[in-house]
């Protein structure tokens, strides 16, 4: 995209947002689609091939993809944690059956444990934290591969997925990464109150883990067995150019705060426009979520559905937190445990250079830069991500090597 075209998109977006209360809701909708994805890490760009295919045919294709690729259908035992401001945070637990020891096999072993007050040690729990404008289902392939191997907790960050809209935000309090760190602590207290914990986070989820380490260093020291930081950043996100030329990204930064505020105040109108501009929205998501050209269409549609589910006012209220995010000082808290740092080499949202900067602070960590991968690397290259996660679990003693079998793949049946 040229500098002039980038500035034109920004200008059109700003004008549409300013007219959001007027009758021309379609233009506001286009702005909502563009800025909604931009705030999630996209900027401006649309697939040209959509101009050659009828809208009705594209709609039928989306419905077909939804039916044939029901990614995100895996469910676990539901639970709710309560954040410090009263917000209910939804999580699900995938349990693992702990095999009895030779001495404790059968009913007699269970009886002996009761008689002598013996208690089986709490299992290791892997806690997965998702990224901005996503949800716990973004871990679909990793969840499919690890089910039955390890106890795992998947949760929806406040205002995302099945979690409650942040109560503080409803009262006008800005959301910050520190709040997300406290939310993660509440989820751990509720879903994994005992035993070792492995923390895995993508994008905003990784930032949430850094905030947890910053505020609860004793928890990291005493209970965390390993850490996986995927497509994330410890700071300086305000310098990311999203693949735009300098003039274009500078123009975006000038108008973005006001545009987001305007769109957030006209949420119902903008959501209607977002639905009407689904083709533009899909093109933006594909460009800024994936790095390869041959992404499974069903997976691309799945990503689109995840991001579509995030209301524009939530997109607006979370965005400022990222420019303020700086948790580089919290990273040393992870030095004493095995760490995986992984990113796509074509990530336009949290560029791989940000992962390399984290690795500079954690020199003993495993750094993996995945070729031909974008921001949603765990969906685009699930085998690679799950393979490295499985290796991390083995290195940390979470699961024995013999138990790690086939890993999540887009070739697998998505609901199994």
């Amino acid at each position: 995209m040229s500098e002039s075209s980038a500035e034109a998109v920004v200008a059109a977006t700003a004008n549409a947002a300013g007219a959001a209360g007027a009758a021309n809701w379609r233009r506001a909708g286009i702005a909502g689609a563009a800025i909604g994805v931009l705030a999630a890490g996209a900027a401006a760009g649309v697939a040209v091939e959509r101009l050659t295919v009828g809208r009705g045919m594209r709609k039928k294709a989306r419905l077909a993809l939804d039916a044939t690729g029901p990614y995100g259908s895996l469910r676990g035992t539901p639970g709710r944690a309560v954040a410090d401001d009263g917000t209910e945070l939804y999580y699900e637990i995938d349990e693992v059956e702990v095999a009895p020891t030779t001495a404790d096999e059968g009913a007699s072993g269970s009886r002996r444990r009761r008689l002598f007050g013996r208690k089986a040690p709490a299992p290791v729990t892997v806690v997965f934290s998702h990224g901005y404008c996503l949800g716990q289902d973004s871990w679909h392939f990793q969840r499919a591969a690890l089910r039955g191997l390890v106890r795992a907790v998947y949760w929806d960050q406040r205002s995302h997925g099945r979690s409650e809209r942040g109560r503080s935000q409803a009262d006008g309090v800005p959301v910050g990464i520190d709040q997300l760190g406290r939310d993660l602590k509440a989820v751990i207290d509720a879903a994994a109150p005992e035993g070792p914990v492995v923390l895995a986070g993508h994008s905003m989820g990784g930032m949430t883990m850094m905030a947890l380490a910053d505020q609860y260093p004793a928890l990291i020291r005493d209970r965390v067995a390993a850490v996986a930081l995927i497509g994330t950043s410890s700071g300086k996100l305000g310098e990311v150019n999203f693949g735009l030329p300098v003039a274009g990204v500078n123009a975006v930064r000038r108008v973005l705060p006001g545009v987001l505020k305007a769109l957030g105040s006209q949420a119902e109108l903008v959501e209607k426009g977002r639905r009407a501009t689904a083709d533009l929205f899909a093109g933006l998501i594909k460009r800024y979520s994936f790095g390869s050209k041959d992404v499974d269409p069903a997976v691309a549609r799945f990503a689109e559905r995840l991001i579509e589910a995030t209301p524009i006012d939530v997109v607006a209220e979370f965005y400022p937190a990222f420019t303020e995010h700086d948790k580089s000082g919290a990273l040393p808290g992870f030095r004493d445990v095995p760490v995986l740092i992984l990113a796509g080499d074509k990530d336009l949202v949290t560029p791989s250079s940000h992962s390399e900067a984290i690795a500079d602070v954690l020199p003993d960590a495993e750094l993996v830069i995945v070729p031909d991968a974008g921001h949603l690397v765990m969906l685009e290259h699930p085998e690679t991500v799950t393979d490295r996660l499985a290796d991390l679990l083995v290195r940390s003693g979470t699961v024995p090597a013999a138990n790690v079998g086939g890993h999540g793949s887009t070739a697998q049946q998505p609901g199994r």
Side-chain angles (χ1 to χ4, degrees), residues 310-329:
T310 308
I312 190 64
D313 47 348
V314 173
V315 173
E317 72 187 20
F318 269 71
Y319 181 75
F322 301 113
T323 58
E324 299 169 2
H325 167 63
D326 182 358
K327 285 292 181 283
S328 56

Side-chain angles (χ1 to χ4, degrees), residues 106-158:
S108 61
S110 298
R111 182 171 181 273
R112 276 198 298 273
R113 286 195 293 274
R114 291 197 301 272
L115 286 174
F116 294 97
R118 294 169 58 195
K119 183 179 179 182
V124 178
T125 301
V126 186
V127 182
F128 288 87
S129 300
H130 68 78
Y132 179 41
C133 294
L134 298 172
Q136 62 173 270
D137 290 341
S138 61
W139 297 106
H140 175 85
F141 294 111
Q142 292 69 46
R143 188 171 189 171
L146 296 175
R147 278 170 88 90
L149 292 179
V150 64
R151 185 176 192 268
V153 172
Y154 303 86
W155 69 292
D156 292 325
Q157 303 239 33
R158 65 172 50 220

Side-chain angles (χ1 to χ4, degrees), residues 62-74:
R62 286 195 294 271
L63 292 174
L65 289 173
D66 290 346
T68 59
Y71 299 117
S73 59
L74 300 176

Side-chain angles (χ1 to χ4, degrees), residues 314-365:
V314 173
V315 173
E317 72 187 20
F318 269 71
Y319 181 75
F322 301 113
T323 58
E324 299 169 2
H325 167 63
D326 182 358
K327 285 292 181 283
S328 56
L331 293 176
F334 297 139
R335 281 180 176 163
D336 294 331
V337 298
V339 176
L340 166 67
I341 304 168
L342 184 146
D345 69 341
K346 295 181 180 178
D347 191 335
L348 299 176
V349 180
T350 51
S352 58
S353 59
H354 287 234
S355 288
E356 292 168 350
I358 295 173
D360 288 341
V361 181
L362 302 172
D364 293 331

Side-chain angles (χ1 to χ4, degrees), residues 14 41 112 118 127 148 165 202 220 231 240-241 265 288 326 330 357 413-414:
R112 276 198 298 273
R118 294 169 58 195
V127 182
R165 179 67 182 274
H202 168 250
I220 306 300
V240 175
N241 64 14
S265 66
Y288 287 93
D326 182 358
Q413 291 295 321

Side-chain angles (χ1 to χ4, degrees), residues 5 20 25 63 67 74 99 104 151 162 181 192 204 232 239 249 332 355 366 403 416:
S5 59
W25 60 266
L63 292 174
L74 300 176
D104 290 336
R151 185 176 192 268
R162 295 172 178 84
M204 182 177 75
T232 191
E239 300 176 6
V249 75
S355 288
E366 178 187 17
N403 283 354
R416 297 180 180 178

Side-chain angles (χ1 to χ4, degrees), residues 50 53-69 278-279 282 296-302 304-305:
R50 281 171 172 74
V53 182
R55 176 178 294 179
M57 187 178 296
R58 292 195 299 270
K59 184 176 180 180
K60 289 180 181 179
R62 286 195 294 271
L63 292 174
L65 289 173
D66 290 346
T68 59
D279 297 324
D296 181 345
V299 172
R301 172 59 186 159
F302 175 47
E304 183 184 343
R305 292 199 333 256

